Amino acid sequence: MAKKAAYRKKRQNRTGMILVTIVVLMMLVVVTIKSVELQDKKEVYAQREAALLEEIAAEEARTEEIEEYGKYTQTKKYVEEVAKDKLGLVYEGEIIFKDEK
């Protein structure tokens, strides 16, 4: 009788160990899969971050150009160019030559 009880206990321990091993392996597989997914997301986010940083740099350069143009529009040279090009105004005694097309 004692032999049967010992055999049964040994068998239950073996079954329990097998079940625990299966559960641990399943958890390992799930963690590995999720790790790969997170790595992919990390790469996508890194690419997106790089693109956004480039976009920020381009917008900062554009802002600088706009500021420079704003300063240029306040100069006398700009006013003279607009007066000549759009309004056709000239200084007194100035001669304008136009191409015939």
Side-chain angles (χ1 to χ4, degrees), residues 6 8 15 18 23 27 32 35 40 48 52 55 58-59 62 70-72 74 79 83 86 89-90 93 101:
R8 191 178 299 160
T15 306
I18 290 173
V23 169
M27 289 177 61
T32 303
S35 174
D40 291 343
R48 185 172 178 202
L52 289 173
E55 197 173 314
E59 288 299 320
R62 184 171 174 253
K71 290 177 187 176
Y72 172 69
Q74 303 299 317
V79 173
K86 298 200 177 182
L89 301 177
V90 293
K101 293 182 180 181

Side-chain angles (χ1 to χ4, degrees), residues 15-55:
T15 306
M17 290 299 279
I18 290 173
L19 289 175
V20 168
T21 304
I22 290 172
V23 169
V24 168
L25 288 175
M26 288 175 60
M27 289 177 61
L28 182 66
V29 168
V30 169
V31 168
T32 303
I33 291 171
K34 289 298 181 181
S35 174
V36 169
E37 288 176 3
L38 287 175
Q39 203 66 17
D40 291 343
K41 279 186 180 181
K42 182 180 173 184
E43 290 176 14
V44 169
Y45 288 145
Q47 291 173 353
R48 185 172 178 202
E49 179 184 14
L52 289 173
L53 288 174
E54 287 179 19
E55 197 173 314

